[in-house]
């Protein structure tokens, strides 16, 4: 519905699904005031026009009440005085007013800090869970993971390529043996890696003992399908997630 008010004429346009109809109301003679414009807007529609528009004629008071209610509903952001100013000498499109929805800010999930993880003891194994046979299926999964990573371990494969792959591999589930260490009590310890942290390996031995072996000053051996690789712990002090993106450089000689 479009109201076009001017000193020349008042045109009322009714739009619908089937089309639109325009009524041109003649202006009052002489200069047109705001009161005269209001009288024109609220003047009665002739019988011919009501038949053409298929509407029921209403009195001036009913028409005024309807227009005020319609404008208030269609323009809720404006008060009565502002609506009259808009209707004075402007074309007003009475569209459906949509309330703006407030965008809800997405809350970022906070990760637990290292201190909180230690307090909750997330990574600690209960004594009844410290059994070697419970982690043998994990070792079988790790072997299959390494075979897929190296595209199958074959005797004619280059050892340099296998070592490069192992440098960036995840060692959770691998069976390792401490072959050298500055602490003699660590030498010969063999078990499945349960947890790899930046500076230590947590290993479960066949005697169901949980050992914490520092990487610093230790050399570990890993065997899979006849291939034996050695890990120099002093140069391996990285988390597995950090190691996967790191570029390693060849070293001439590595000491404990």
């Amino acid at each position: 519905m479009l109201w076009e008010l001017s000193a020349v004429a008042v045109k009322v346009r009714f739009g619908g699904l089937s089309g639109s109809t325009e009524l041109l109301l003649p202006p009052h003679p002489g200069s047109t005031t705001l009161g005269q414009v209001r009288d024109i807007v609220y003047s009665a529609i002739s019988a011919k026009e009501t038949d053409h528009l298929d509407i029921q004629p209403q009195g001036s008071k009913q028409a005024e009440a309807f227009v005020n209610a319609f404008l208030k509903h269609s323009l809720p952001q404006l008060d009565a005085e502002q609506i009259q100013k808009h209707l004075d000498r402007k074309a007003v499109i009475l569209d459906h007013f949509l309330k703006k929805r407030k965008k809800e800010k997405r809350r970022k999930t906070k990760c637990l800090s290292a201190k909180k993880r230690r307090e909750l003891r997330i990574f600690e194994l209960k004594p009844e869970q410290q059994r070697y046979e419970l982690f043998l299926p994990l070792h079988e999964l790790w072997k299959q993971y390494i075979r897929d990573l190296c595209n199958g371990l074959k005797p004619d494969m280059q050892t340099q390529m296998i070592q490069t792959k192992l440098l960036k591999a995840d060692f959770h589930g691998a069976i390792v043996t401490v072959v050298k260490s500055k602490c003699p009590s660590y030498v010969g310890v063999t078990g499945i890696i349960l947890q790899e942290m930046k500076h230590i390996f947590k290993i479960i031995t066949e005697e169901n003992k949980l050992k914490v072996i520092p990487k610093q000053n230790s050399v570990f051996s890993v065997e899979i399908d006849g291939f034996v690789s050695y890990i120099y712990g002093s140069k391996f002090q990285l988390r597995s997630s950090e190691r996967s993106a790191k570029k390693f450089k060849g070293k001439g000689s590595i000491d404990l």
Side-chain angles (χ1 to χ4, degrees), residues 133-148:
E133 62 271 14
L134 288 178
F135 299 97
L136 287 175
L138 177 64
H139 174 61
E140 295 299 324
L141 287 174
W142 181 82
K143 288 198 297 184
Q144 187 60 44
Y145 156 68
I146 295 299
R147 293 187 188 107
D148 295 340

Side-chain angles (χ1 to χ4, degrees), residues 65-119:
F66 170 77
V67 172
N68 289 334
F70 182 77
L71 291 174
K72 187 176 181 180
H73 176 74
S74 301
L75 303 170
Q77 71 274 25
L78 302 178
D79 55 22
E81 185 178 352
Q82 291 174 328
I83 291 174
Q84 290 300 331
K85 287 182 180 179
H86 276 272
L87 292 177
D88 190 5
R89 294 181 182 275
K90 294 182 181 179
V92 180
I93 301 176
L94 303 177
D95 291 332
H96 178 64
F97 178 74
L98 294 176
K99 293 183 179 180
K100 293 183 179 179
R101 295 182 179 178
K102 293 182 179 179
K103 293 183 179 180
E104 295 182 359
K105 294 183 179 179
R106 293 183 179 178
R107 295 182 179 179
K108 294 183 179 180
T109 55
K110 293 184 179 180
C111 298
L112 292 175
S113 62
K115 181 180 179 182
K116 198 69 176 179
R117 287 196 294 266
R118 286 193 296 269
E119 291 175 355

Side-chain angles (χ1 to χ4, degrees), residues 153-171:
L153 293 171
K154 300 177 182 179
D156 57 345
M157 292 186 68
Q158 295 181 358
T159 57
Q160 184 68 29
M161 187 272 291
I162 297 175
Q163 291 174 351
T164 303
K165 295 284 187 180
L166 288 176
L167 279 174
K168 299 187 177 185
D170 193 314
F171 280 88

Side-chain angles (χ1 to χ4, degrees), residues 124-132 134-135 194 204:
E124 290 187 11
L125 288 175
K126 298 178 181 179
E128 60 269 17
Q129 297 173 341
Q130 297 177 12
R131 290 191 295 162
Y132 184 81
L134 288 178
F135 299 97
L194 301 185
I204 186 75

Side-chain angles (χ1 to χ4, degrees), residues 5-252:
L5 309 183
S6 65
V8 178
V10 179
K11 183 166 62 177
V12 184
R13 182 179 303 156
F14 298 90
L17 295 175
S18 59
S20 63
T21 304
E22 294 183 357
L23 297 179
L24 188 62
L25 304 181
H28 285 257
S31 60
T32 306
T33 63
L34 182 60
Q36 291 172 339
V37 172
R38 188 179 293 107
D39 293 338
I40 295 172
V41 172
Y42 296 124
S43 61
I45 301 176
S46 65
K48 182 180 178 181
E49 292 167 342
T50 56
D51 293 339
H52 179 70
L53 296 173
D54 193 20
I55 59 176
Q56 295 181 357
Q58 294 180 344
S60 60
K61 291 184 178 180
Q62 292 176 332
E64 183 175 358
F66 170 77
V67 172
N68 289 334
F70 182 77
L71 291 174
K72 187 176 181 180
H73 176 74
S74 301
L75 303 170
Q77 71 274 25
L78 302 178
D79 55 22
E81 185 178 352
Q82 291 174 328
I83 291 174
Q84 290 300 331
K85 287 182 180 179
H86 276 272
L87 292 177
D88 190 5
R89 294 181 182 275
K90 294 182 181 179
V92 180
I93 301 176
L94 303 177
D95 291 332
H96 178 64
F97 178 74
L98 294 176
K99 293 183 179 180
K100 293 183 179 179
R101 295 182 179 178
K102 293 182 179 179
K103 293 183 179 180
E104 295 182 359
K105 294 183 179 179
R106 293 183 179 178
R107 295 182 179 179
K108 294 183 179 180
T109 55
K110 293 184 179 180
C111 298
L112 292 175
S113 62
K115 181 180 179 182
K116 198 69 176 179
R117 287 196 294 266
R118 286 193 296 269
E119 291 175 355
L120 295 175
R121 298 183 177 181
I122 292 177
F123 299 115
E124 290 187 11
L125 288 175
K126 298 178 181 179
E128 60 269 17
Q129 297 173 341
Q130 297 177 12
R131 290 191 295 162
Y132 184 81
E133 62 271 14
L134 288 178
F135 299 97
L136 287 175
L138 177 64
H139 174 61
E140 295 299 324
L141 287 174
W142 181 82
K143 288 198 297 184
Q144 187 60 44
Y145 156 68
I146 295 299
R147 293 187 188 107
D148 295 340
L149 183 67
C150 299
N151 299 321
L153 293 171
K154 300 177 182 179
D156 57 345
M157 292 186 68
Q158 295 181 358
T159 57
Q160 184 68 29
M161 187 272 291
I162 297 175
Q163 291 174 351
T164 303
K165 295 284 187 180
L166 288 176
L167 279 174
K168 299 187 177 185
D170 193 314
F171 280 88
H172 290 90
I175 294 180
V176 296
T177 302
V178 182
V179 293
K180 291 182 180 180
S181 178
K182 285 191 174 181
C183 181
S185 61
Y186 290 148
V187 178
V189 174
T190 303
I192 300 174
I193 296 178
L194 301 185
Q195 292 177 354
E196 180 191 357
M197 298 183 182
K198 186 173 182 179
H199 300 289
I200 63 169
F201 282 129
K202 285 188 178 182
I203 298 172
I204 186 75
T205 65
E206 293 184 359
E207 294 79 21
N208 299 327
K209 292 181 179 180
L210 186 64
K211 299 283 187 179
V212 179
I213 310 295
K215 294 179 181 179
Q216 183 73 26
N217 301 325
S218 297
V219 179
F220 306 86
S221 67
V222 182
E223 189 274 332
I224 178 173
D225 294 347
F227 288 91
V228 180
S229 296
Y230 294 93
I231 300 171
Y232 288 82
S234 298
K235 306 298 180 181
F236 212 68
Q237 296 187 76
L238 294 167
R239 297 180 180 88
S240 56
S241 58
E242 297 172 351
R243 195 172 64 247
S244 62
K246 181 178 174 59
K247 292 184 179 180
F248 291 89
K249 296 181 180 179
K251 300 290 183 179

